Amino acid sequence: MGERFVVVPVDGGGTLAGVGVHFDAAVTDDPAPDTGSGSSGGTREGKEALEDAVFESQDPNSVVPILEYNREPNKYGDGVPKENSPFINSSENDKGNSYDGTNMALFEEEMDSNPMVSSLLNKLANYTNLTQGAQEHEEADEDEGPKKKAVKSPQMGTFMGVYLPCLQNILGVILFLRLTWIVGTAGILESLAIVGLCCSCTMLTAISMSAIATNGVVPAGGSYYMISRSLGPEFGGAVGLCFYLGTTFAGSMYILGTIEILLTYIVPKAAIFVAEKKEDEVNALLNNMRVYGTCCLALMAVVVFVGVKYVNKLALVFLACVILSILAIYAGVIKTIFEPPDFPVCMLGNRTLQNHNFDTCLKTETIGNITVTTKLWKLFCDGPELNATCPEYFVENNVTVVQGIPGLTSDVISENMWSQYGYLGMLVEKSNLASVGRSDPEQDKYMPYVVNDIATFFTLLVGIYFPSVTGIMAGSNRSGDLRDAQKSIPIGTILAIATTSVIYITCVVLFGACIEGVLLRDKFGDSVKGNLVIGTLSWPSPWVIVIGSFFSCCGAGLQSLTGAPRLLQAIARDGIVPFLQVFGHGKANGEPTWALLLTAGICEIGILIASLDAVAPILSMFFLMCYLFVNLACAVQTLLRTPNWRPRFKYYHWALSFLGMSLCLALMFISSWYYAIVAMGIASCIYKYIEYRGAEKEWGDGIRGVSLNAARYALIRLEDAPPHTKNWRPQLLVLLNLDTDQAVKHPRLLSLTTQLKAGKGLTIVGNVLEGTYLTKETEAKKAEQNIKSSMSAERTKGFCHVVVSSNLRDGVSHLIQSAGLGGMKHNTVLMAWPGTWKQSNDPQSWRNFIETIRETTATHHALLVAKNVDSFPTNQDRLGEGTIDVWWVVHDGGMLMLLPFLLRQHKVWRKCKMRIFTVAQMDDNSIQMKKDLQMFLYHLRLDAEVEVVEMHDNDISAFTYEKTLVMEQRTQMLKQMQLSRTEREREIQSITDESRSSIRRKNPGAAQSATFSRESSPMEDTQEDEAQLIHDRNTASHAAINDKADAEPERVHMTWTKDKLFTERNRNRECNSNVAVRDLFNMKPEWESLNQSNVRRMHTAVKLNEVVVNKSQGAHLVLLNMPGPPKNRGGDENYMEFLEVLLEGLNRVLLVRGGGREVITIYS
C-alpha cells in the first residue's frame, strides 16, 4: 500500500516557490524511483547548496552512489555497537550544512539529528544495496580519496535475478547421477515420499524466507543476514558458519560428481589406479576420486582467485547445460513411446551382468557349424574350452537379454512400484526371471555381477537426495542485484521450488515407467557398457546428458567456491566470532583470499572422503540446520508481533513456519542421527563461544524479544505470591560507594557478592549521585560504566542502577523501594561499614547509614553489612583450612545459617568449616541447648560444629562506665560543635574551667583503661580529648533523659530480655541494694549522671565482644546478629559507638539482620 506525500518547495522568504510536486512512494512497485522528476523553483542562498534537496534537478540516467554499510559502533549512543540507519544518521557533510531558511527556524537546532523530510525522502529514493557477491570484487577502487565508487542501479528482475539462479542451484548432480538409482532402490512410491518430504521442507522454508526477506531492505548476505538479524548474533554466527560448512561440502560434492562423470562415463581409461581384481574396484575408484578431485579443486580455486567475474559470466552457460539436459530427458521419454532406445541388459538367471568385457550375451555361439565359447564364458570358466570348469550357477542357468529401456507404454511401472533395499554386496536381481541354484557369496564376488556398493535403506536415501533440493537461497543472496528484491525474492524462489518439485516428481514417475528395475538399481551403468543410466533415456544421444551434467557440476562447484568464502568473509567482518577476523581481509579489490584458502582446505576434507554418497548426508545436515533456523526466525517474529514485523509477503503463518522447522529437524535425524548430533554440537559450541567471547551486537533480534516476553510472563507469575521458604535465596541490592573519579571504592564488596551468589538469583548493584540528572548526566554514565567494568572484573552477574538524587538519603531510599521489577525484586541489602564515620565532619555519613538500616527494617528486607570489606578475599584467593564462625544471638529467620552454606559453595570458601556459637544466660540449660541446636542443624542438613557460650550476669565494670562516659561526652561535644563559632568558644572555655577539678579526681586505672580503648587515629584522639574536657556540663539534661527513659521503657536488643531489663532497672534504682554500684559512684561521681540504658548497652557490647574475640579472632569470617538502631533518633550517635565496641578486634565481620521471615526450613 503506497503512501502519498505532497512536497511544497518554499523559498528563503517564506513564499511558495512553485507548484507542489506530487508523487507516490510505493516501495513494492519501485524501490529506487527516478528522483529527477521535480525541479527547484526557488533560489538557494548561502555559501553551499543543500546536497540532499529533493527538488534539485538530476539526470535520470545518472549513477547512484553506494550507501555504505557501516559496521562501526555508534559513537553517539550508549556504546553498544549498532548498525547506523542509512536515512536518519547524517553524514559529516550533511552536518556541515547550516539551515538558512526562516520557515523552519523552530527546528533548526535539531537539524543535525533530525533532518528535513525532503532529505529523508531523497536518501530513501536513492538507497541501494551493496552486493555481497562477485560484482563488488571485480574491480579495485582506483580512487584513493574519500570519493565513493559509483555503480549503476540494480536492474535484474524476477526471472533473471531469482528464478534462473535458484533453478541452476537446485537442479544438479543428484538429479543426473543418483535419482535413477534412488527410484530403483526405494521404488516409485517411497521415492515420491522422499521427494515430497524434501520439497515440502524447502517450500515451507521459502515461505518463511520470503516473509523475512520482505520485512524491510535485506542487504546481500542471504540466510546469514536474515538469521543473524532475526535471531541475534549467537544464532546468526552459529547458523551462518553451518551454512558456510554446508556450502563448502556442497563444493566437495559437486567436484566429486564432476570426477565421477569424467572417470566413469567420459574417459574411463584416464584412471590412475586400476583394479586387478573385481573386489578392489571400489578402492581403486575412491583413490582416483581423491587424486583427480584434489587436482580439480586446486584448478577451480585458482580460477576463482584469478578471475571470479568469468565464473559469473559463465553461469548462464552452465544453466543452459542444465536446461538442455532436462529437455533431452523429456524428449527421450516421449521418444520411448514410439521407438524405445536399444540398451540390452544381459541376465544370467535372474542376476544382472556387467557387460564391459563382452559384446554378445551368449555362453556359446556357432561360427561355421563350429560351436565356440564367447567372452562371457571366459569370464566365468577357467578356460575357453567347452569342457572347462565353470561355476554351478553359470552351468545351470541360461543367459537372457532384457531391454533396459522398455518404454513408457510397457508395464514396467508396476514392477518398479515397490522398494528393493539390500545389504552391501547384494546382487542386483530381477525377481520375475527363473533362477536355479543358490548363491555362493565367497565365489560370487569374483564374478562380473552387478552388486550394491553400499547398504541401502530409506533414511540413507533421504540424506543422499536432500542436497538436490538445496539452493533456494540463491535469490536472496543476489538481493543487492535485484530491481525490486521484496517482490522478486518470494515470487522467484517459490516458482523455482515449484518448478523443480514438478521436475523431480515427474522424473521419478517417468524413470519408473520407462526404465527396467535392474538398470535403475545399477548405480554406475555397468550393465549397459558403462553408460550413464539417465543418459540411456535421453534424446538424441546419451552424450547430451553426460556433457551437460559434467558442465553443470563444474559450474556448481565453482559457484560454491565463489560463494562460501564471501559468506565467511561477511561473518568475519561482522566481528561476532573473534578468531575468524583474519578471514575478513583479502586482496586490494576485496577478494577474500584467506577465506578462499580455508574453504579449499575444508573442501579437501570432503574430497578425501571420496564418496559422493558419504558426503551428501554431511552437507544435508548443515543445510537442514540453516533452514530450521530460518523457519524458527519467522515463527518467533510472527508470534512476538514486534512492531517492526511488517512483511510485504502476506502468505505466511507461524504454524507453517513451525511445521517447516519440525520437518527440518525430523529430516536431520531421519537422514543420519549421528551426523545430526555432530552438526548440532558444532552449532552449540559456536553459539556458546559467541555468547561468551564474541563481540557485542545489538541487531534488534527476535531472541531478545523472546527473552523479554518470557521475562514478562515469569515476572507476572512471580507477582502472584511471595516465594516459598524452600525457594528463598538472597536477591541482593549492593550499595556501592564511588570516589570523586566515579571509581568503585570497595571492589571486594562485588567479590563477596559473586561468592555469595555464584551466578544464581538477582543482583542489582546500585549507587547514588548527589545533584540533578541534567547536571550529572555525564558523571552518571561514567559511574555506570565503571561499575559495569568492576562487575565484569569481579565476575558479578547482575544489573547496574545509578540514581541521581537531590540528596544521598533520598537516593538510597528510592533504590531500596523501587529497584527491581514485579516479583523480581531484591530481598537483601548488602553494604559496607562506614569506616570513616568518626573522622567525617559531616554527620550525614553515619546518619544515612542508620537511616538505611531503619528503612530496610521497615521494608522487610534483610541487611548485610561487611566490616573491613577491603580485607575480604578476592575471587582468585583460595582460603585454606579455617572456620566461618556464626554467632547466633537472636533468631533472624535462619539467615545466619544460610549464608555460610551459600559461601561454602564457592571455591574461595570451600575448605572452610562452619562453627555456630550461641549464648546461654544464667537460667539456661547449656547442655540441653547444645543438643537441641545439633538436632536442629541435623534436620537442616548442615554440617557445623556447635558450641554454647555462657555469659553470666556480671556486675558492670568501671571500664564500661568509663567507656559510656567518653561516648556521652563525645556526643555532647558534637552537639556543641553545631553552635556558632563564638558561642562554641565561650561554651568550651566555661566547660573547661568547670571540669578541671573533676579531672583531677579521676581514677588512674580507669583513665588508663579508657585511654587503652580509644581509636588510634589522630582525629579521634583529638575529639576524645575535647570530649574529656566537656565531660558533663548539663547534668540536668541527663537527669531529664533518665526520667524519660524510665517513663518510656526501651526495647533492649542482643542478650537482654524484658524480664532481665526490669530486674536490672529495679536493681539500679535501689541504691542501697547494690553496694558495688554505690562504691563505683563514690569513686567517680560523674558516673551517677550517666544514662543507665546506655550503660547497659555498652556492658552488653563489651562483654559480647570479649567472648567473640576470645573464640573467633582467628576465624576467616565472623557472622554476627546486628542489633537494631534505637527508636529514639537522639541516640543514633551512641548506636554507632555500641557497634564499634562490639566489633573491636575482629578482622572480617559480616553483620546480619533478618528481613522478618523464615528463610530456611527443615522440610523437603
Side-chain angles (χ1 to χ4, degrees), residues 176-346:
F176 300 122
L177 296 183
R178 292 293 183 269
L179 188 57
T180 54
W181 174 71
I182 291 174
V183 173
T185 304
I188 295 176
L189 294 180
E190 292 187 23
S191 297
L192 289 174
I194 293 173
V195 173
L197 278 174
C198 297
C199 292
S200 299
C201 175
T202 54
M203 180 61 77
L204 293 173
T205 304
I207 293 174
S208 300
M209 184 194 70
S210 299
I212 298 174
T214 58
N215 186 49
V217 178
V218 178
S223 60
Y224 163 68
Y225 183 91
M226 290 187 292
I227 293 172
S228 61
R229 271 57 178 180
S230 298
L231 295 182
E234 294 87 0
F235 278 108
V239 180
L241 286 177
C242 285
F243 190 53
Y244 163 74
L245 291 174
T247 306
T248 304
F249 276 103
S252 301
M253 184 186 71
Y254 292 131
I255 293 174
L256 291 174
T258 302
I259 302 304
E260 182 176 318
I261 295 171
L262 179 70
L263 295 180
T264 307
Y265 306 114
I266 299 178
V267 281
K269 294 182 180 180
I272 298 174
F273 300 92
V274 180
E276 297 180 357
K277 299 180 181 179
K278 182 177 181 296
E279 60 268 22
D280 297 333
E281 289 180 355
V282 175
N283 292 330
L285 176 63
L286 295 181
N287 289 330
N288 286 319
M289 299 279 280
R290 292 185 179 104
V291 174
Y292 278 96
T294 303
C295 297
C296 183
L297 172 63
L299 180 62
M300 288 186 175
V302 170
V303 170
V304 172
F305 178 77
V306 173
V308 71
K309 57 183 178 182
Y310 300 111
V311 176
N312 289 274
K313 291 179 180 179
L314 290 174
L316 287 178
V317 177
F318 298 141
L319 176 60
C321 293
V322 174
I323 295 176
L324 287 176
S325 300
I326 294 174
L327 293 177
I329 294 172
Y330 284 111
V333 170
I334 296 174
K335 184 176 179 296
T336 60
I337 300 176
F338 311 104
E339 184 183 351
D342 183 23
F343 284 97
V345 177
C346 187

Side-chain angles (χ1 to χ4, degrees), residues 823-891:
M824 201 64 175
K825 282 183 173 290
H826 60 279
N827 53 30
T828 306
V829 177
L830 173 62
M831 59 192 303
W833 172 265
T836 59
W837 70 274
K838 285 187 176 181
Q839 290 83 5
S840 177
N841 294 325
D842 182 12
Q844 294 301 321
S845 61
W846 52 267
R847 291 188 187 278
N848 289 340
F849 175 76
I850 297 176
E851 288 301 317
T852 302
I853 299 175
R854 288 193 173 102
E855 190 139 6
T856 56
T857 303
T859 56
H860 302 289
H861 289 138
L863 177 65
L864 307 178
V865 178
K867 181 93 183 311
N868 299 327
V869 68
D870 292 329
S871 66
F872 275 62
T874 64
N875 293 325
Q876 288 72 35
D877 295 336
R878 300 292 181 270
L879 298 180
E881 299 292 337
T883 60
I884 300 176
D885 289 356
V886 177
W887 285 85
W888 192 20
V889 182
V890 295
H891 182 56

